[in-house]
Amino acid sequence: MGWRADGGLWLLVRGGGLFLSKGTGIVEDFEEALVQSRGFGILDVGYRSKDEAWAAGGSGVLLKTTKGGKTWVHDRAADNIPGNLYSVK
């Protein structure tokens, strides 16, 4: 769980699920984002701006959004890394 650039929250769940809060601040209402993690767990999310963010996870999964987290696309730059990506810096 962490903060988005717009002041909302993101929440990771097992199986590669990503949920975004429907508001800013501490809220209890979340919606699932469309993430194609291929079933591998996502371990961290990092926002560069309100629109651009990156997510990293198991088996070299690297995902990018340019729509504030609403939809994500698989970035193949890390496909040949035989390990997990634990953090977005």
Side-chain angles (χ1 to χ4, degrees):
M1 181 178 258
W3 295 102
R4 299 190 319 252
D6 66 0
L9 293 169
W10 56 264
L11 171 69
L12 300 173
V13 297
R14 284 192 252 179
L18 171 63
F19 288 80
L20 304 173
S21 64
K22 290 186 178 180
T24 59
I26 299 172
V27 297
E28 296 181 12
D29 197 13
F30 288 82
E31 62 185 356
E32 188 168 10
L34 300 174
V35 179
Q36 298 174 356
S37 68
R38 302 178 300 182
F40 294 106
I42 299 172
L43 301 172
D44 193 25
V45 176
Y47 277 78
R48 292 185 68 190
S49 67
K50 287 178 85 170
D51 295 322
E52 184 184 356
W54 292 82
S59 294
V61 169
L62 187 60
L63 303 162
K64 178 183 179 181
T65 182
T66 55
K67 298 179 180 177
K70 301 293 182 201
T71 58
W72 296 77
V73 293
H74 184 102
D75 189 308
R76 302 208 177 274
D79 278 357
N80 293 327
I81 296 174
N84 297 334
L85 302 175
Y86 290 99
S87 182
V88 176
K89 297 289 181 192

Coordinates of all heavy atoms in Angstrom, one line a residue:
M1 N 0.9 -1.2 0.0 CA 0.0 0.0 0.0 C 0.9 1.2 0.0 O 1.9 1.2 0.6 CB -0.9 0.0 1.2 CG -1.8 1.2 1.3 SD -2.9 1.1 2.8 CE -4.4 0.5 2.0
G2 N 0.5 2.2 -0.8 CA 1.2 3.5 -0.8 C 0.4 4.6 -1.4 O -0.8 4.4 -1.7
W3 N 1.1 5.8 -1.5 CA 0.4 7.0 -2.0 C 0.6 7.2 -3.4 O 1.7 7.0 -3.9 CB 0.9 8.2 -1.2 CG 0.6 8.2 0.3 CD1 1.4 7.8 1.3 CD2 -0.7 8.4 0.8 NE1 0.7 7.9 2.5 CE2 -0.6 8.3 2.2 CE3 -2.0 8.8 0.3 CZ2 -1.6 8.5 3.1 CZ3 -3.0 9.0 1.2 CH2 -2.8 8.8 2.6
R4 N -0.4 7.6 -4.1 CA -0.3 8.0 -5.5 C 0.1 9.5 -5.5 O 0.0 10.2 -4.5 CB -1.7 7.9 -6.2 CG -2.2 6.4 -6.3 CD -3.4 6.3 -7.2 NE -4.3 7.3 -7.1 CZ -5.5 7.2 -6.6 NH1 -5.9 6.1 -6.0 NH2 -6.4 8.2 -6.6
A5 N 0.5 10.0 -6.7 CA 0.9 11.4 -6.9 C -0.2 12.3 -6.7 O 0.0 13.5 -6.3 CB 1.5 11.6 -8.3
D6 N -1.5 11.9 -6.9 CA -2.6 12.8 -6.7 C -3.2 12.8 -5.3 O -4.2 13.4 -5.0 CB -3.7 12.4 -7.7 CG -4.3 11.0 -7.5 OD1 -3.9 10.3 -6.5 OD2 -5.3 10.7 -8.2
G7 N -2.5 12.1 -4.4 CA -3.0 12.0 -3.0 C -3.9 10.8 -2.6 O -4.3 10.7 -1.5
G8 N -4.2 10.0 -3.6 CA -5.0 8.8 -3.4 C -4.0 7.6 -2.9 O -2.8 7.8 -2.9
L9 N -4.6 6.5 -2.7 CA -3.9 5.3 -2.3 C -3.9 4.2 -3.3 O -4.8 4.1 -4.1 CB -4.5 4.7 -1.0 CG -4.5 5.5 0.3 CD1 -5.4 4.9 1.3 CD2 -3.0 5.5 0.8
W10 N -2.8 3.4 -3.4 CA -2.8 2.2 -4.2 C -2.6 1.0 -3.2 O -2.0 1.2 -2.1 CB -1.7 2.2 -5.2 CG -0.3 2.4 -4.8 CD1 0.3 3.6 -4.8 CD2 0.6 1.5 -4.3 NE1 1.6 3.5 -4.3 CE2 1.8 2.2 -4.0 CE3 0.6 0.1 -4.0 CZ2 2.9 1.5 -3.5 CZ3 1.7 -0.5 -3.5 CH2 2.8 0.2 -3.2
L11 N -3.2 -0.1 -3.6 CA -3.2 -1.3 -2.7 C -2.9 -2.5 -3.6 O -3.6 -2.7 -4.6 CB -4.5 -1.5 -2.0 CG -4.8 -2.7 -1.2 CD1 -3.9 -2.8 0.0 CD2 -6.2 -2.8 -0.8
L12 N -1.9 -3.3 -3.2 CA -1.6 -4.6 -4.0 C -2.2 -5.8 -3.2 O -2.2 -5.8 -2.0 CB 0.0 -4.7 -4.0 CG 0.7 -3.6 -4.7 CD1 2.2 -3.8 -4.6 CD2 0.3 -3.5 -6.2
V13 N -2.6 -6.7 -4.0 CA -3.2 -8.0 -3.5 C -2.5 -9.2 -4.2 O -1.9 -9.0 -5.2 CB -4.7 -8.0 -3.6 CG1 -5.3 -6.9 -2.8 CG2 -5.1 -8.0 -5.0
R14 N -2.7 -10.3 -3.6 CA -2.1 -11.6 -4.2 C -2.6 -11.8 -5.7 O -3.6 -11.3 -6.0 CB -2.5 -12.8 -3.4 CG -1.8 -12.9 -2.1 CD -2.1 -14.3 -1.6 NE -2.9 -14.1 -0.4 CZ -3.4 -15.1 0.3 NH1 -3.1 -16.4 0.0 NH2 -4.1 -14.9 1.4
G15 N -1.7 -12.4 -6.4 CA -2.1 -12.7 -7.8 C -1.9 -11.6 -8.8 O -2.4 -11.6 -9.9
G16 N -1.3 -10.5 -8.4 CA -1.0 -9.4 -9.3 C -2.1 -8.4 -9.3 O -2.2 -7.6 -10.3
G17 N -3.0 -8.4 -8.3 CA -4.1 -7.4 -8.3 C -3.6 -6.0 -7.8 O -2.8 -5.9 -6.9
L18 N -4.2 -5.0 -8.4 CA -3.9 -3.6 -8.0 C -5.2 -2.8 -7.8 O -6.0 -2.8 -8.8 CB -3.0 -2.9 -9.0 CG -2.7 -1.4 -8.9 CD1 -2.0 -1.1 -7.6 CD2 -1.9 -0.9 -10.0
F19 N -5.4 -2.2 -6.7 CA -6.6 -1.4 -6.4 C -6.2 0.0 -6.2 O -5.2 0.3 -5.5 CB -7.4 -2.0 -5.2 CG -8.0 -3.3 -5.5 CD1 -7.3 -4.5 -5.5 CD2 -9.4 -3.4 -5.8 CE1 -7.9 -5.7 -5.8 CE2 -10.0 -4.6 -6.1 CZ -9.3 -5.7 -6.1
L20 N -7.0 0.9 -6.7 CA -6.8 2.4 -6.5 C -8.0 2.9 -5.7 O -9.1 2.6 -6.0 CB -6.7 3.1 -7.8 CG -5.6 2.5 -8.8 CD1 -5.7 3.2 -10.1 CD2 -4.2 2.7 -8.2
S21 N -7.7 3.8 -4.7 CA -8.8 4.4 -4.0 C -9.6 5.4 -4.9 O -9.1 5.9 -5.8 CB -8.2 5.2 -2.8 OG -7.4 6.3 -3.2
K22 N -10.8 5.5 -4.6 CA -11.7 6.4 -5.4 C -11.6 7.8 -5.0 O -12.2 8.7 -5.6 CB -13.2 5.9 -5.3 CG -13.4 4.5 -6.0 CD -14.9 4.2 -5.9 CE -15.1 2.9 -6.7 NZ -16.5 2.5 -6.7
G23 N -10.9 8.1 -4.0 CA -10.7 9.5 -3.6 C -9.3 9.8 -3.1 O -8.4 8.9 -3.3
T24 N -9.1 10.9 -2.5 CA -7.8 11.2 -1.9 C -7.8 11.1 -0.4 O -8.9 11.0 0.2 CB -7.4 12.6 -2.3 OG1 -8.3 13.6 -1.8 CG2 -7.2 12.8 -3.8
G25 N -6.6 11.0 0.1 CA -6.6 10.8 1.6 C -6.9 9.3 2.0 O -6.8 8.4 1.1
I26 N -7.1 9.1 3.2 CA -7.4 7.8 3.8 C -8.9 7.5 3.6 O -9.7 8.1 4.3 CB -7.0 7.7 5.2 CG1 -5.5 7.9 5.3 CG2 -7.3 6.3 5.8 CD1 -4.9 8.0 6.7
V27 N -9.2 6.6 2.7 CA -10.5 6.2 2.4 C -10.6 4.7 2.4 O -9.6 4.0 2.3 CB -11.0 6.7 1.0 CG1 -11.1 8.3 1.0 CG2 -10.2 6.2 -0.1
E28 N -11.8 4.1 2.4 CA -12.0 2.7 2.3 C -12.7 2.2 1.1 O -13.0 1.0 0.9 CB -12.9 2.3 3.5 CG -12.2 2.5 4.9 CD -13.1 2.1 6.0 OE1 -14.1 1.4 5.8 OE2 -12.7 2.5 7.2
D29 N -12.8 3.0 0.1 CA -13.5 2.7 -1.2 C -12.5 2.6 -2.3 O -11.8 3.6 -2.7 CB -14.5 3.8 -1.5 CG -15.5 3.3 -2.5 OD1 -15.6 2.1 -2.8 OD2 -16.3 4.1 -3.1
F30 N -12.2 1.4 -2.8 CA -11.2 1.1 -3.8 C -11.9 0.5 -5.1 O -12.9 -0.2 -5.0 CB -10.2 0.1 -3.3 CG -9.2 0.7 -2.3 CD1 -9.6 0.8 -1.0 CD2 -8.0 1.2 -2.7 CE1 -8.7 1.3 0.0 CE2 -7.1 1.7 -1.8 CZ -7.5 1.8 -0.4
E31 N -11.2 0.7 -6.2 CA -11.6 0.0 -7.5 C -10.4 -0.7 -8.1 O -9.3 -0.2 -8.0 CB -12.3 1.0 -8.4 CG -11.4 2.1 -8.9 CD -12.1 3.1 -9.8 OE1 -13.3 2.9 -10.1 OE2 -11.5 4.1 -10.2
E32 N -10.7 -1.8 -8.7 CA -9.6 -2.6 -9.3 C -9.1 -2.0 -10.6 O -9.9 -1.6 -11.4 CB -10.0 -4.0 -9.5 CG -8.8 -4.9 -9.9 CD -9.2 -6.4 -9.9 OE1 -10.4 -6.7 -9.7 OE2 -8.3 -7.2 -10.0
A33 N -7.8 -1.9 -10.7 CA -7.2 -1.3 -12.0 C -7.0 -2.5 -13.0 O -6.8 -3.6 -12.5 CB -5.9 -0.7 -11.7
L34 N -7.0 -2.2 -14.2 CA -6.8 -3.2 -15.3 C -5.3 -3.4 -15.4 O -4.6 -2.7 -16.1 CB -7.4 -2.8 -16.6 CG -8.9 -2.5 -16.6 CD1 -9.4 -2.0 -17.9 CD2 -9.6 -3.8 -16.3
V35 N -4.8 -4.5 -14.8 CA -3.4 -4.8 -14.8 C -3.2 -6.2 -15.4 O -3.9 -7.1 -15.1 CB -2.8 -4.8 -13.4 CG1 -1.3 -5.2 -13.4 CG2 -3.0 -3.5 -12.7
Q36 N -2.2 -6.3 -16.3 CA -1.9 -7.5 -17.0 C -0.6 -8.1 -16.5 O 0.4 -8.1 -17.2 CB -1.9 -7.3 -18.5 CG -3.2 -6.9 -19.1 CD -3.1 -6.6 -20.5 OE1 -2.0 -6.6 -21.1 NE2 -4.2 -6.2 -21.1
S37 N -0.6 -8.5 -15.2 CA 0.6 -9.0 -14.6 C 0.9 -10.5 -14.9 O 1.8 -11.0 -14.3 CB 0.6 -8.8 -13.1 OG -0.4 -9.6 -12.5
R38 N 0.1 -11.1 -15.7 CA 0.2 -12.5 -16.0 C 0.1 -13.4 -14.8 O 0.7 -14.5 -14.7 CB 1.5 -12.8 -16.8 CG 1.6 -12.0 -18.1 CD 2.9 -12.2 -18.8 NE 4.0 -11.8 -17.9 CZ 5.3 -11.9 -18.3 NH1 5.6 -12.3 -19.4 NH2 6.2 -11.5 -17.4
G39 N -0.5 -13.0 -13.7 CA -0.7 -13.8 -12.5 C 0.5 -13.6 -11.5 O 0.4 -14.2 -10.4
F40 N 1.6 -13.0 -11.9 CA 2.7 -12.8 -11.0 C 2.4 -11.6 -10.1 O 1.8 -10.6 -10.5 CB 4.0 -12.5 -11.8 CG 4.4 -13.7 -12.6 CD1 4.3 -13.6 -14.0 CD2 5.0 -14.8 -12.0 CE1 4.7 -14.7 -14.7 CE2 5.4 -15.9 -12.8 CZ 5.2 -15.8 -14.1
G41 N 2.8 -11.7 -8.8 CA 2.5 -10.7 -7.9 C 3.3 -9.4 -8.1 O 4.4 -9.4 -8.6
I42 N 2.6 -8.3 -7.9 CA 3.2 -7.0 -8.0 C 3.8 -6.7 -6.6 O 3.0 -6.8 -5.7 CB 2.2 -6.0 -8.6 CG1 1.8 -6.3 -9.9 CG2 2.9 -4.6 -8.6 CD1 0.6 -5.5 -10.5
L43 N 5.0 -6.2 -6.6 CA 5.6 -5.9 -5.3 C 5.8 -4.5 -4.9 O 5.9 -4.1 -3.8 CB 7.0 -6.6 -5.2 CG 6.9 -8.1 -5.5 CD1 8.3 -8.7 -5.6 CD2 6.2 -8.8 -4.3
D44 N 5.7 -3.6 -5.9 CA 5.9 -2.2 -5.6 C 5.3 -1.3 -6.8 O 5.3 -1.8 -7.9 CB 7.3 -1.8 -5.4 CG 7.5 -0.4 -4.8 OD1 6.6 0.1 -4.1 OD2 8.6 0.2 -5.0
V45 N 4.9 -0.2 -6.5 CA 4.4 0.8 -7.5 C 5.0 2.1 -7.1 O 5.1 2.5 -6.0 CB 2.8 1.0 -7.4 CG1 2.3 2.0 -8.3 CG2 2.1 -0.4 -7.7
G46 N 5.4 2.9 -8.2 CA 6.0 4.2 -8.0 C 5.5 5.1 -9.0 O 5.4 4.8 -10.2
Y47 N 5.0 6.3 -8.6 CA 4.5 7.3 -9.4 C 5.5 8.4 -9.7 O 6.2 8.9 -8.8 CB 3.3 8.0 -8.8 CG 2.0 7.2 -9.0 CD1 1.7 6.1 -8.2 CD2 1.1 7.6 -9.9 CE1 0.6 5.3 -8.4 CE2 -0.1 6.9 -10.1 CZ -0.3 5.7 -9.4 OH -1.5 5.0 -9.6
R48 N 5.7 8.7 -11.0 CA 6.6 9.8 -11.4 C 5.8 11.1 -11.5 O 6.3 12.2 -11.4 CB 7.2 9.5 -12.8 CG 8.2 8.4 -12.7 CD 8.9 8.2 -14.0 NE 9.8 9.3 -14.2 CZ 10.4 9.6 -15.4 NH1 10.2 8.8 -16.4 NH2 11.2 10.6 -15.5
S49 N 4.5 11.0 -11.8 CA 3.6 12.2 -12.0 C 2.2 11.7 -11.7 O 2.0 10.5 -11.4 CB 3.7 12.8 -13.4 OG 3.2 11.9 -14.3
K50 N 1.2 12.6 -11.8 CA -0.2 12.1 -11.7 C -0.6 11.1 -12.7 O -1.5 10.3 -12.4 CB -1.1 13.3 -11.7 CG -1.0 14.3 -10.5 CD -1.9 15.4 -10.7 CE -3.3 15.1 -10.2 NZ -4.2 16.3 -10.1
D51 N 0.0 11.1 -13.9 CA -0.4 10.2 -15.0 C 0.6 9.0 -15.1 O 0.1 7.9 -15.4 CB -0.4 11.0 -16.3 CG -1.5 12.0 -16.3 OD1 -2.6 11.8 -15.7 OD2 -1.3 13.1 -16.9
E52 N 1.9 9.2 -14.9 CA 2.8 8.2 -15.2 C 3.2 7.4 -13.9 O 3.6 8.1 -12.9 CB 4.1 8.7 -15.9 CG 5.1 7.6 -16.2 CD 6.3 8.1 -16.8 OE1 6.5 9.4 -17.0 OE2 7.2 7.3 -17.1
A53 N 3.2 6.1 -14.0 CA 3.6 5.3 -12.9 C 4.2 3.9 -13.4 O 3.9 3.5 -14.5 CB 2.5 5.0 -11.9
W54 N 5.0 3.3 -12.6 CA 5.6 2.0 -12.9 C 5.3 1.0 -11.8 O 5.2 1.4 -10.6 CB 7.1 2.2 -13.1 CG 7.5 3.0 -14.3 CD1 7.5 4.3 -14.4 CD2 7.8 2.5 -15.5 NE1 7.9 4.7 -15.6 CE2 8.1 3.6 -16.4 CE3 8.0 1.2 -16.1 CZ2 8.5 3.5 -17.7 CZ3 8.4 1.1 -17.4 CH2 8.6 2.2 -18.2
A55 N 5.1 -0.2 -12.2 CA 4.9 -1.3 -11.2 C 5.8 -2.4 -11.5 O 6.1 -2.7 -12.7 CB 3.4 -1.8 -11.3
A56 N 6.4 -3.0 -10.5 CA 7.4 -4.1 -10.6 C 7.0 -5.3 -9.8 O 6.3 -5.1 -8.7 CB 8.8 -3.6 -10.2
G57 N 7.4 -6.5 -10.2 CA 7.0 -7.6 -9.4 C 7.8 -8.9 -9.8 O 8.9 -8.9 -10.3
G58 N 7.1 -10.0 -9.5 CA 7.7 -11.3 -9.7 C 8.0 -11.7 -11.1 O 7.4 -11.2 -12.0
S59 N 9.1 -12.5 -11.3 CA 9.5 -13.0 -12.6 C 9.8 -11.8 -13.6 O 9.5 -11.9 -14.8 CB 8.5 -13.9 -13.2 OG 8.5 -15.1 -12.4
G60 N 10.3 -10.7 -13.1 CA 10.7 -9.6 -13.9 C 9.5 -8.8 -14.5 O 9.7 -8.2 -15.5
V61 N 8.4 -8.9 -13.9 CA 7.2 -8.2 -14.4 C 7.4 -6.7 -14.2 O 7.8 -6.2 -13.1 CB 5.9 -8.6 -13.7 CG1 4.8 -7.6 -14.0 CG2 5.5 -10.0 -14.1
L62 N 7.3 -5.9 -15.3 CA 7.4 -4.5 -15.3 C 6.3 -3.9 -16.1 O 6.1 -4.2 -17.2 CB 8.8 -4.0 -15.9 CG 9.2 -2.6 -15.9 CD1 9.3 -2.1 -14.4 CD2 10.5 -2.4 -16.6
L63 N 5.5 -3.0 -15.4 CA 4.3 -2.5 -16.0 C 4.4 -1.0 -16.0 O 5.0 -0.4 -15.0 CB 3.1 -3.0 -15.2 CG 2.9 -4.5 -15.1 CD1 1.9 -4.8 -14.0 CD2 2.4 -5.0 -16.5
K64 N 3.7 -0.3 -16.9 CA 3.7 1.1 -17.0 C 2.3 1.6 -17.3 O 1.6 1.0 -18.1 CB 4.6 1.6 -18.1 CG 4.7 3.1 -18.3 CD 5.6 3.5 -19.4 CE 5.6 5.0 -19.6 NZ 6.4 5.5 -20.7
T65 N 2.0 2.8 -16.7 CA 0.7 3.4 -17.0 C 1.0 4.9 -17.3 O 1.9 5.5 -16.8 CB -0.3 3.4 -15.8 OG1 -1.5 4.1 -16.2 CG2 0.2 4.1 -14.6
T66 N 0.3 5.4 -18.3 CA 0.4 6.9 -18.6 C -1.0 7.5 -18.4 O -1.3 8.6 -18.9 CB 0.9 7.1 -20.0 OG1 0.0 6.4 -20.9 CG2 2.3 6.7 -20.2
K67 N -1.9 6.7 -17.7 CA -3.3 7.2 -17.6 C -3.7 7.2 -16.1 O -4.8 6.9 -15.7 CB -4.2 6.3 -18.3 CG -4.0 6.3 -19.8 CD -4.9 5.4 -20.6 CE -4.6 5.5 -22.1 NZ -5.4 4.6 -22.9
G68 N -2.7 7.5 -15.2 CA -3.0 7.6 -13.8 C -3.3 6.3 -13.1 O -3.8 6.3 -12.0
G69 N -3.0 5.2 -13.7 CA -3.2 3.9 -13.1 C -4.5 3.2 -13.6 O -4.8 2.1 -13.1
K70 N -5.3 3.8 -14.4 CA -6.5 3.2 -14.9 C -6.3 2.0 -15.7 O -6.9 1.0 -15.6 CB -7.4 4.2 -15.7 CG -7.7 5.5 -14.9 CD -8.7 5.2 -13.8 CE -9.1 6.5 -13.1 NZ -9.6 6.3 -11.8
T71 N -5.3 2.1 -16.6 CA -4.9 0.9 -17.4 C -3.3 0.8 -17.4 O -2.7 1.8 -17.3 CB -5.4 1.0 -18.9 OG1 -4.8 2.2 -19.5 CG2 -6.9 1.0 -19.0
W72 N -2.8 -0.4 -17.5 CA -1.4 -0.7 -17.5 C -1.0 -1.5 -18.7 O -1.8 -2.3 -19.1 CB -1.1 -1.4 -16.2 CG -1.3 -0.6 -14.9 CD1 -2.5 -0.4 -14.4 CD2 -0.4 0.0 -14.1 NE1 -2.4 0.4 -13.2 CE2 -1.1 0.6 -13.1 CE3 1.0 0.2 -14.2 CZ2 -0.4 1.4 -12.1 CZ3 1.7 0.9 -13.2 CH2 0.9 1.5 -12.2
V73 N 0.2 -1.3 -19.1 CA 0.8 -2.1 -20.2 C 2.1 -2.7 -19.8 O 2.8 -2.2 -19.0 CB 1.0 -1.3 -21.5 CG1 -0.3 -0.8 -22.1 CG2 1.9 -0.1 -21.3
H74 N 2.3 -3.9 -20.3 CA 3.5 -4.7 -20.0 C 4.7 -4.1 -20.7 O 4.6 -3.8 -21.9 CB 3.3 -6.1 -20.4 CG 4.4 -7.0 -20.0 ND1 4.4 -7.9 -19.0 CD2 5.6 -7.2 -20.6 CE1 5.5 -8.6 -18.9 NE2 6.3 -8.2 -19.9
D75 N 5.8 -3.8 -20.0 CA 7.0 -3.3 -20.6 C 8.0 -4.5 -20.7 O 8.3 -5.0 -19.6 CB 7.6 -2.1 -19.7 CG 8.7 -1.4 -20.4 OD1 9.7 -2.1 -20.9 OD2 8.7 -0.2 -20.5
R76 N 8.4 -4.8 -21.8 CA 9.3 -6.0 -22.0 C 10.7 -5.8 -21.7 O 11.5 -6.7 -21.9 CB 9.1 -6.4 -23.5 CG 7.7 -6.8 -23.8 CD 7.5 -7.8 -24.8 NE 6.2 -8.2 -25.1 CZ 5.5 -9.1 -24.4 NH1 6.0 -9.7 -23.4 NH2 4.2 -9.4 -24.7
A77 N 11.1 -4.6 -21.2 CA 12.5 -4.3 -20.9 C 13.1 -5.3 -19.9 O 14.3 -5.5 -19.9 CB 12.7 -2.9 -20.5
A78 N 12.3 -5.8 -19.0 CA 12.8 -6.7 -17.9 C 12.5 -8.1 -18.2 O 12.7 -9.0 -17.3 CB 12.2 -6.2 -16.6
D79 N 12.0 -8.5 -19.3 CA 11.6 -9.9 -19.6 C 12.7 -10.9 -19.4 O 12.5 -12.1 -19.1 CB 11.0 -10.0 -21.0 CG 9.5 -9.6 -21.0 OD1 9.0 -9.3 -20.0 OD2 8.9 -9.6 -22.1
N80 N 13.9 -10.5 -19.7 CA 15.1 -11.5 -19.6 C 15.8 -11.5 -18.3 O 16.8 -12.1 -18.1 CB 16.1 -11.1 -20.7 CG 15.5 -11.4 -22.1 OD1 14.7 -12.3 -22.3 ND2 15.9 -10.6 -23.1
I81 N 15.2 -10.8 -17.3 CA 15.8 -10.8 -15.9 C 15.2 -12.0 -15.2 O 14.0 -12.1 -15.0 CB 15.4 -9.5 -15.2 CG1 16.1 -8.3 -15.9 CG2 15.9 -9.6 -13.7 CD1 15.7 -7.0 -15.3
P82 N 16.1 -13.0 -14.8 CA 15.6 -14.2 -14.2 C 15.4 -14.0 -12.7 O 16.1 -14.7 -11.9 CB 16.7 -15.2 -14.5 CG 17.9 -14.4 -14.6 CD 17.5 -13.0 -15.1
G83 N 14.6 -13.1 -12.3 CA 14.3 -12.8 -10.9 C 13.2 -11.9 -10.6 O 12.6 -11.4 -11.6
N84 N 13.0 -11.6 -9.4 CA 11.9 -10.6 -9.0 C 12.4 -9.2 -9.0 O 13.6 -9.0 -8.6 CB 11.4 -11.0 -7.6 CG 10.7 -12.4 -7.6 OD1 10.3 -12.9 -8.6 ND2 10.7 -13.0 -6.4
L85 N 11.5 -8.3 -9.3 CA 11.8 -6.9 -9.1 C 11.1 -6.4 -7.9 O 9.8 -6.4 -7.8 CB 11.4 -6.1 -10.4 CG 12.0 -6.6 -11.7 CD1 11.4 -5.8 -12.9 CD2 13.5 -6.4 -11.7
Y86 N 11.8 -6.0 -6.9 CA 11.2 -5.7 -5.6 C 10.8 -4.2 -5.3 O 10.0 -4.0 -4.5 CB 12.1 -6.1 -4.5 CG 12.3 -7.6 -4.4 CD1 13.3 -8.3 -4.9 CD2 11.3 -8.4 -3.7 CE1 13.5 -9.7 -4.8 CE2 11.4 -9.8 -3.6 CZ 12.5 -10.4 -4.2 OH 12.6 -11.8 -4.1
S87 N 11.4 -3.3 -6.1 CA 11.2 -1.9 -5.7 C 11.3 -1.0 -7.0 O 12.0 -1.3 -7.9 CB 12.3 -1.5 -4.8 OG 12.1 -0.2 -4.4
V88 N 10.5 0.0 -7.0 CA 10.5 1.0 -8.0 C 11.1 2.3 -7.4 O 10.7 2.8 -6.4 CB 9.1 1.4 -8.5 CG1 9.1 2.5 -9.6 CG2 8.4 0.1 -9.1
K89 N 12.2 2.7 -8.1 CA 12.9 3.9 -7.6 C 12.8 5.1 -8.6 O 12.8 4.9 -9.8 CB 14.4 3.6 -7.4 CG 14.6 2.5 -6.3 CD 14.3 3.1 -5.0 CE 14.6 2.0 -4.0 NZ 14.1 2.3 -2.7

